[in-house]
Amino acid sequence: MAVRMLMACVLGTLLCQVWGSAETQDKEDKLRPQALYPWRNQGKGMVRVKRDWIIPPIRVLENSKQVPEDLVQIKSDKIFTGEVIYKLEGPGVDQEPKNLFEIDDKSGVIRSKRPLDREKDRSFTLKAFALSPSGERLENPTTIEIVVLDQNDNRPAFTQKQFNGAVSEFSVPGTSVMSVSATDADDPMTENAHLSYSIISQESIPANTVTKTMFGINNETGAIYTRDVGLDREVVKSFRLKLQVGDMGGMGLTRDGVAIIDVSDINNNAPQFSPASYSMTAVENLKEYEVGRVNVTDKDDRGTGNWEAKYFISNDPHGNFAITTDPDTNQGVLMVVKPLDYETQKECTLILKVENINRLDKAPNLPASTATVVVSVVNENEAPHFREDPIKIVVPESVVPGTILKRDIAYDPDNSELRYEISRDPERWLDINRNTGDIIAKRTFNMRSPHVKNNIYNAVVKVTGQYADGLSTTATVVITLKETNDFPPQLFPLSGSVCRNAGRASSGLVLTAVDEDLPPHAAPFIFEMTDDASNNWTFIHVNDTHSLLQPLLELETGEYAVTVLVSDSGSPVLSAYAQVNVTVCLCDSFGDCKSEAGAIFGSSVGISFFALIIIMVCFALLLLLLLLAVAVTTCGRRHQIKKGSGLLVGDSEDDIRDNVLNYDEQGGGEEDENAFNIDLLWNPLDAPSTPGSYCPMPGVPRGKQPLRRDAPHNLPSPTYPRRPPADPTDIEDYINDGLEAADNDPNVPPYDTALIYDYEGEGSLAGSLSSIASSSSDGDQDYDYLNDWGPRFQKLANMYDPR
């Protein structure tokens, strides 16, 4: 195996000398590359590592303009009979980036074909081969490292087009403001990438407000800091710094940049009222409305917490006012949040104080600015006010009617007279004095009313002022009813039975009581015996509501009246006597009283069965007789109806429906009072009540109507219905038709005149009430006799006076 040889380290020095000493030596000799024998067993400048030889890297300067340029020549020291061909492989040759290097296959000279760029490729690793003409490897391949040397061919560049920073006003010298940075594409291990920062110029905004140098920069790190005092936001808003960065410690290539530094505001100016006194007006009885605004000035930066103000009211004992800040104008907005009362206070003087939201930095102990605001209250007509709403009343349910429950319930701020009324009282239990407003119990209350919920009864009262506007107000009356002992307990049951043949421990009648009152005026009940019954009877307590009435000794069978006194637990205690009818009897095995027969014959089943059969037979006979009686009665009625041909048809040959005639009654009522102001002409109690009766006026022939002297006549009359209805159910329509025709008849006298009852059918057994009958005409009739009948008929006589 051939020994690998490395390239001599002096190759780089040799190359440098070739470029640097062209004036003293022959240029061609110096540029001729040194022949290396990498396959020799030993060689100058080569290092043996394990079993391989490592050739030091070949250093090539970037951006060389001498291209193509011979870099190195490789040789094989083996003795061959034939020709040796050299080949080169790797990046820059047959791999990307291609065509940077080549080798002369005859001489073994490696040369660069194009200028190299260290910023793209810092080094190349190639492999060299020695081959026979047939392509057989004569030696093992050797590695050649080519390193590109850096030149200062890149300017440094700032990382931002413009740097922005801020510093608080009045900052002390040395305060860090911001940092700037730059980069350089050259080799950072060389001076080509050693950067240095500087500030070229400073410009204040607004221009020329600050002329001294206010900022410095660390040339190594790029940190900007303050150098002097005097940064005032109210004077200067910001600074524009022109920066510069250079490589090779500032002696090489340079690049300019810009930094903008804003002077940030601190709260070094307190807000001030302008002006310091205000006059405003407010309307009484209104709230949540703006009264006015106050102004402040602040030199700090607008829109920040150092500028925004907050206001305080130092003397508002009743809390009628509030003040807020308008975020756009920074004005204080004074508002009424609780209604004012002109009658109580006609003018309010407020002291306002203002501060910033942020705390003062430079003058923390500076007193806050104050302003005086005088608010005049405008009087308005007000509605009356209730002293409390709801009006609460606690009263026993058994209050005596007429008791005053509440006084002085309302007042008028304008001192006008008031009128009171009850606007809602579903049970009508209340009354109110219209002038004083005293609420009075109208009647006793009832806890069991459906309008009483949880012992509370609600009503509504209304009060109205007497000024021109007549404003009114309502309030709820909440009456809490206290339960009183109004009802004594009632004993129940009032009758029962007690077994004689039962043991004393199990015999007795359980009694209880019912009380309409509610606790604590009801149970527990106390049951007591009167003196005359205490010898034979006693009570055994069961619970709070029940007691057992029990005989003290064995009594004979029969009825006993026991008088019992029952009392409740109310205050005061109410009691009631009751008589309990107790039947003492012999009982069967179920505890039920036996009949007399059962008591005599014991509990024989046969006798009880026969008695039951007899009772059932008797009941069936009675039911049968009742059904027969009903059937006979029904048949008789049907026969009578059929014979009479209808319910409304009698024995008379005339149809009773022909007797329903119109009465000529068409008076004008109260409107005809002047023409016919007639007193009572006849007594309706004297009129006949039988069908077919005729009630003419005294002295007027039957069937004749007296002529009217004070009204036109001979007008056509409507047609009256005369045909009887075909069905009894049409009688109502028949009567209504006749009534309508009579109402529209112009020839009948007014309603307030004496009436003539027309013919109403035949068959009446009663005679005529009139003794006057004449067939003469109205013109021949003499009515002078009416003057002799007294003052009641004087009006009628005047109507028919021929004069």
Side-chain angles (χ1 to χ4, degrees), residues 541-559:
H541 178 75
V542 178
N543 54 34
D544 289 345
T545 58
H546 294 76
S547 189
L548 180 65
L549 178 63
Q550 192 177 67
L552 289 173
L553 45 84
E554 187 173 351
L555 302 176
E556 296 295 330
T557 58
E559 300 287 340

Side-chain angles (χ1 to χ4, degrees), residues 320-340:
N320 297 103
F321 298 92
I323 188 167
T324 58
T325 303
D326 187 327
D328 297 326
T329 64
N330 215 24
Q331 292 176 316
V333 182
L334 186 63
M335 301 184 65
V336 174
V337 295
K338 184 178 178 181
L340 299 168

